[in-house]
Amino acid sequence: MQSSLEDTKYILKKYNIKANKKLGQNFLINDEIIEKIISASQINKEDLVIEIGPGLGTLTLKLLENAGKVIAIELDTNMIKILKDRFNLYDNFILLNEDVLKVDLKELISKYSNKERKVKVVANLPYYITTPIIMKLLEDKINIDSITVMVQKEVADRITAIPGDKLSGAITYSVNYYAEANNIAFVDKNSFMPVPEVDSEVIKLKIRNKSQVDVENEELFFKIIKASFMQRRKTLVNGLINSGIITDKNDIKNIFEEIGLNLEIRGEKLTIQQFAELSNLIGKTI
Ligand code: SAM
């Protein structure tokens, strides 16, 4: 059995292609990490796996061996040709030549899944669109069980930070609202070919059946979170006023008093529960 480094070199040479930097093509060449991703994703023969950006198919091969069905979504037609040649004998493989951000995932899942099948997303994500992909998977409210993905270390640190901690950002709260996020493994940049500029991390998001906070208006809740992190160094009150969410100072004073928040507090200090309370009260006021 060849290692993924030899596989990768061999395939690139055979098809006479080079990694496309614009599409975030950093191919995984570390077998140990591939095993860690597979093990963390806890996939079995009943599961429907969605892989985003299969590339040359290094991770795909392991997914096909372990999952019930694998739907792979790849934008680059060069990769499509390779993947077709490589996996044409697997009857549990579905390949889509599409931009994942434009795919109707709800429709896709309802076409290939049934109630018994759990849907799990497993991928080494293209870094230039990591956040939009993760937010799409969460916000589209598709029926998925978990998302196990490789992302840049810096993004992983933000996503898995405890809301209110120094590293937390708007994405910490948004992800936390929908899922429980955990670090799985640090991945040195030398685990890829070509070698990217930064290290990576595998994270797992286990989707919550029900959010741990009660939010009456999700749109307003996320708008408030975004506004408070847009101007991180300013107070939360300023963030709310400048974004036009709520402008009457008396209203703000009353709401802050009711939740027990100091008027000088910065948004990054709030817990997700406090953001929920804040947005529910603002929703009743405006
Ligand atoms: N899975 C492979 C691996 O681990 O070696 C490749 C991972 S590489 C980091 C990211 C992959 O995502 C590339 O194959 C790239 O062509 C693909 N990709 C980039 N943008 C995409 C998009 N919008 N939709 C689907 N795939 C995309």
Side-chain angles (χ1 to χ4, degrees):
M1 170 104 179
Q2 286 180 308
S3 80
S4 31
L5 171 61
E6 283 160 357
D7 268 353
T8 303
K9 280 185 181 162
Y10 171 80
I11 296 173
L12 286 173
K13 198 169 167 210
K14 180 174 164 198
Y15 287 86
N16 193 24
I17 51 170
K18 287 202 172 91
N20 183 337
K21 271 197 184 163
K22 274 196 189 144
L23 289 180
Q25 289 178 357
N26 298 100
F27 302 113
L28 197 46
I29 53 166
N30 182 330
D31 290 336
E32 243 175 70
I33 299 298
I34 292 166
E35 287 307 327
K36 279 189 185 165
I37 296 175
I38 297 294
S39 146
S41 63
Q42 294 179 303
I43 49 174
N44 63 50
K45 285 285 171 196
E46 297 300 312
D47 293 334
L48 168 67
V49 169
I50 299 180
E51 186 187 10
I52 297 160
L56 302 172
T58 313
L59 182 59
T60 321
L61 177 64
K62 293 285 169 194
L63 294 173
L64 286 167
E65 286 169 0
N66 289 283
K69 219 181 247 310
V70 177
I71 303 178
I73 307 170
E74 173 59 62
L75 182 62
D76 186 358
T77 36
N78 278 336
M79 300 295 134
I80 295 291
K81 184 172 172 6
I82 298 169
L83 292 161
K84 274 189 182 156
D85 288 352
R86 213 173 161 190
F87 301 125
N88 66 352
L89 292 178
Y90 285 82
D91 59 6
N92 59 343
F93 184 51
I94 294 151
L95 181 59
L96 297 183
N97 186 189
E98 305 241 19
D99 176 346
V100 66
L101 294 177
K102 294 187 182 146
V103 173
D104 184 337
L105 293 170
K106 236 183 205 157
E107 195 184 298
L108 186 70
I109 290 171
S110 69
K111 189 167 170 193
Y112 293 106
S113 180
N114 53 36
K115 276 196 190 122
E116 287 83 59
R117 266 195 207 287
K118 279 193 176 163
V119 181
K120 297 175 180 171
V121 175
V122 186
N124 172 16
L125 291 178
Y127 292 164
Y128 72 106
I129 42 170
T130 303
T131 306
I133 293 176
I134 291 180
M135 290 321 295
K136 177 183 162 90
L137 291 168
L138 296 172
E139 283 171 351
D140 281 6
K141 301 212 168 113
I142 40 182
N143 193 19
I144 41 180
D145 174 81
S146 60
I147 303 172
T148 307
V149 282
M150 173 98 69
V151 299
Q152 280 173 291
K153 170 127 188 16
E154 196 198 332
V155 179
D157 287 345
R158 273 210 188 288
I159 290 178
T160 58
I162 295 167
D165 262 13
K166 208 170 76 194
L167 282 174
S168 64
I171 194 166
T172 317
Y173 291 84
S174 307
V175 170
N176 209 277
Y177 178 71
Y178 293 109
E180 192 193 316
N182 282 301
N183 284 310
I184 301 295
F186 168 83
V187 184
D188 186 281
K189 59 185 175 188
N190 291 307
S191 300
F192 302 92
M193 192 183 131
V195 181
E197 275 165 27
V198 293
D199 296 320
S200 290
E201 187 131 343
V202 179
I203 56 170
K204 181 168 182 179
L205 312 180
K206 179 87 179 103
I207 309 299
R208 301 181 195 279
N209 290 329
K210 188 185 171 304
S211 178
Q212 82 273 41
V213 289
D214 284 323
V215 171
E216 279 152 27
N217 178 341
E218 283 185 357
E219 201 185 326
L220 180 63
F221 172 70
F222 289 120
K223 206 167 146 190
I224 291 172
I225 290 173
K226 236 180 234 164
S228 37
F229 281 94
M230 285 268 247
Q231 301 170 308
R232 230 187 144 111
R233 297 220 181 88
K234 297 213 168 131
T235 62
L236 174 59
V237 171
N238 276 332
L240 292 171
I241 293 173
N242 293 345
S243 60
I245 292 174
I246 178 166
T247 44
D248 187 307
K249 287 200 174 145
N250 253 336
D251 284 346
I252 297 182
K253 203 169 154 256
N254 291 338
I255 290 173
F256 273 51
E257 235 172 56
E258 194 166 338
I259 313 174
L261 290 178
N262 184 312
L263 286 169
E264 296 303 311
I265 199 167
R266 293 208 303 250
E268 63 190 20
K269 295 282 175 230
L270 264 65
T271 62
I272 192 162
Q273 180 65 42
Q274 287 171 318
F275 268 119
E277 286 175 38
L278 182 65
S279 93
N280 291 346
L281 284 176
I282 291 179
K284 286 195 184 96
T285 309
I286 54 174

